[in-house]
């Protein structure tokens, strides 16, 4: 276990809902408080000083993604990045999974309503995700992009981004929602043309944080439809004229972000970088393995991929003939917080989750035996 990482958090031991929301560290909370306190005592240096957090966070994201500042921009959430990408495609078909989270549907639906990109829905096998074979079977000459989640929110299925790149070839765009993976799973981010994520889940930075990383191909081909006043050249010149979009990823900026949120984001990213994604991922995998064993011991049907190489930090399951809401009540009684769906439950531990959580889960599930 990453003991040094865990000491930065006050999250209850039984919290297993990081795929929904990741409680921030004391570092992020303190950074937020400092930024607010500084803003309350504003003088002629305050705003410029607070804005430096955005640059710090952007640079750290770029390093974690294997990119650079020119190709990276901070955003308030993942959805903003997905809308930038969807509206930036002038025409053509975009392949996207029907089973994906709604945030990955509406940008393509709205683009189609506006006469731009048209979605064609992929149907992954139950418990699976978007595979190279599924994509190859759907490719036609009018397909210009594939949009996929790096990790499926329902099952934890981990997409093979490198293999997807090979399947679609060098000329189509690969657009990746990384919100369930970035910072906790080592993946081939450089295979994608667009990587977007929000920081409120696994990155544990709180709401109002996120980013996009764009490839040269994305900068060349995606029209900057939503560029705002902070995303143009000569941004500080207010001459009443329309300025050209910035030549780099800054063209996806609409307006200034919250420097308070940026301070929290910078602190959260620093923790990830210092403890390394590889170490965080390994610890999460150990917790998932322990929880999987307990779920199976008590008759649970695992809905997530069984191959550790094909799953990330999510374990979805159901207890046959048991209402998930009733199972959730038993878990709550043991201090365990899962995600509750109408047909299943989801555990998503983090590197700060102690091994003892499995004992709590076992106690709860044992009470559900007939």
């Amino acid at each position: 276990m990453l003991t040094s990482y865990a000491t930065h958090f006050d999250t209850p031991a039984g919290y297993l809902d990081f795929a929904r929301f990741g409680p921030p560290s004391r570092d992020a909370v303190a950074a937020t408080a400092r930024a607010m306190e500084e803003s309350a005592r504003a003088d002629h240096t305050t705003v410029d000083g607070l804005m430096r957090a955005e640059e710090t966070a952007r640079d750290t994201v770029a390093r974690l993604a294997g990119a650079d500042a020119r190709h990276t921009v901070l955003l308030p959430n993942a959805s903003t990045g997905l809308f930038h990408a969807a509206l930036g495609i002038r025409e053509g078909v975009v392949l996207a999974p029907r089973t994906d989270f709604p945030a990955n549907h509406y940008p393509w639906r709205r683009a189609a309503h506006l006469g731009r990109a048209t979605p064609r829905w992929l149907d992954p096998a139950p418990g699976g995700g978007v595979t190279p074979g599924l994509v190859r079977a759907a490719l036609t000459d009018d397909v210009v992009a594939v949009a996929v989640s790096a990790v499926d929110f329902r099952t934890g299925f981990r997409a093979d981004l490198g293999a997807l790149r090979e399947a679609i070839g060098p000329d189509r765009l690969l657009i990746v929602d990384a919100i369930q993976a970035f910072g906790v799973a080592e993946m081939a981010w450089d295979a994608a043309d667009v990587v977007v994520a929000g920081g409120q889940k696994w990155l544990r930075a709180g709401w109002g944080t996120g980013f996009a990383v764009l490839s040269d191909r994305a900068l060349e081909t995606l029209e900057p439809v939503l560029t705002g006043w902070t995303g143009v050249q000569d941004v500080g010149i207010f001459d009443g004229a329309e300025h050209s979009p910035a030549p780099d990823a800054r063209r996806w900026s609409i307006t200034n972000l919250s420097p308070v949120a940026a301070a929290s984001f910078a602190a959260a990213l620093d923790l990830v970088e210092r403890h390394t994604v590889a170490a965080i991922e390994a610890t999460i995998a150990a917790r998932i393995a322990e929880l999987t064993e307990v779920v199976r011991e008590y008759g649970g049907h695992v809905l997530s991929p069984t191959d550790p190489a094909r799953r990330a930090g999510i374990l979805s399951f159901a207890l046959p003939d048991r209402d998930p809401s009733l199972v959730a009540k038993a878990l709550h009684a043991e201090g365990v917080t899962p995600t509750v769906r109408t047909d299943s439950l989801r555990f998503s531990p983090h590197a700060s989750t102690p091994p003892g959580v499995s004992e709590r889960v076992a106690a709860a599930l044992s009470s559900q035996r007939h």
Side-chain angles (χ1 to χ4, degrees):
M1 180 177 176
L2 276 181
T3 304
S4 59
Y5 176 81
T7 57
H8 291 268
F9 298 90
D10 295 319
T11 313
Y15 188 86
L16 296 176
D17 205 9
F18 287 93
R20 185 183 186 198
F21 174 71
S25 64
R26 287 191 297 277
D27 308 61
V29 171
T32 300
R34 283 195 302 271
M36 287 295 290
E37 289 167 358
E38 289 173 15
S39 66
R41 299 189 298 269
D43 61 20
H44 64 284
T45 67
T46 301
V47 174
D48 288 341
L50 290 173
M51 290 294 182
R52 295 192 188 101
E54 182 173 340
E55 181 179 345
T56 300
R58 181 202 63 201
D59 291 348
T60 308
V61 165
R63 289 193 297 272
L64 290 170
D68 56 34
R70 180 179 177 275
H71 293 85
T72 308
V73 61
L74 295 195
L75 300 172
N77 46 57
S79 289
T80 297
L82 291 169
F83 269 99
H84 271 291
L87 297 179
I89 297 176
R90 296 178 179 85
E91 59 183 1
V93 170
V94 177
L95 302 180
R98 194 187 308 274
T99 54
D100 223 336
F101 193 77
N104 295 325
H105 287 181
Y106 285 96
W108 307 111
R109 297 184 192 277
R110 298 295 176 253
H113 292 334
L114 294 172
R116 298 179 76 85
T118 302
R120 181 184 300 160
W121 305 109
L122 300 171
D123 291 301
V130 177
T131 62
L134 182 66
V135 169
R136 285 192 194 95
L139 285 179
T140 51
D141 290 343
D142 55 352
V143 172
V144 296
V146 174
V148 63
S149 288
V151 169
D152 179 66
F153 83 106
R154 297 177 189 271
T155 66
F157 178 91
R158 181 195 299 248
D160 187 335
L161 300 183
L164 288 174
R165 165 54 65 196
E166 291 182 11
I168 67 175
D171 298 325
R172 295 182 175 96
L173 294 172
L174 179 58
I175 299 167
V176 177
D177 179 353
I179 199 168
Q180 296 291 1
F182 198 84
V184 292
E186 290 192 304
M187 300 187 72
W189 303 121
D190 59 348
D193 295 293
V194 177
V195 177
V196 302
Q200 77 274 22
K201 298 182 186 288
W202 298 93
L203 288 172
R204 309 179 75 164
W207 287 285
T209 59
F211 70 88
V213 176
L214 309 179
S215 71
D216 288 333
R217 185 188 296 105
L219 289 172
E220 293 167 2
T221 61
L222 291 175
E223 187 176 352
V225 174
L226 298 178
T227 296
W229 74 273
T230 54
V232 299
Q233 298 182 50
D234 299 320
V235 66
I237 298 177
F238 310 129
D239 54 6
E242 180 178 356
H243 295 197
S244 299
D248 54 21
R250 288 179 299 132
R251 61 176 51 193
W252 277 23
S253 176
I254 296 175
T255 189
N256 283 324
L257 301 176
S258 163
V260 177
S264 177
F265 201 22
L269 290 164
D270 178 65
L271 272 183
V272 173
E273 187 172 43
R274 283 195 284 125
H275 290 88
T276 76
V277 174
I280 291 171
E281 181 177 21
T283 304
I284 293 172
R287 297 293 85 79
I288 286 290
E290 294 159 0
L291 289 166
T292 300
E293 184 176 345
V294 171
V295 166
R296 285 176 169 159
E297 179 181 352
Y298 290 95
H301 175 53
V302 174
L303 305 174
S304 297
T306 56
D307 180 359
R310 289 269 57 84
R311 72 181 184 212
I314 289 173
L315 171 63
S316 292
F317 70 97
L319 289 185
D321 303 320
R322 300 299 293 175
D323 186 329
S325 65
L326 297 179
V327 179
K329 286 184 179 179
L331 289 164
H332 294 162
E334 295 293 337
V336 176
T337 301
T339 311
V340 186
R341 307 290 187 199
T342 57
D343 59 349
S344 62
L345 297 111
R346 181 181 69 180
F347 290 152
S348 48
H350 210 292
S352 58
T353 304
V357 72
S358 295
E359 297 174 7
R360 296 176 182 236
V361 171
L365 297 187
S366 67
S367 71
Q368 297 300 297
R369 282 181 162 172
H370 293 291

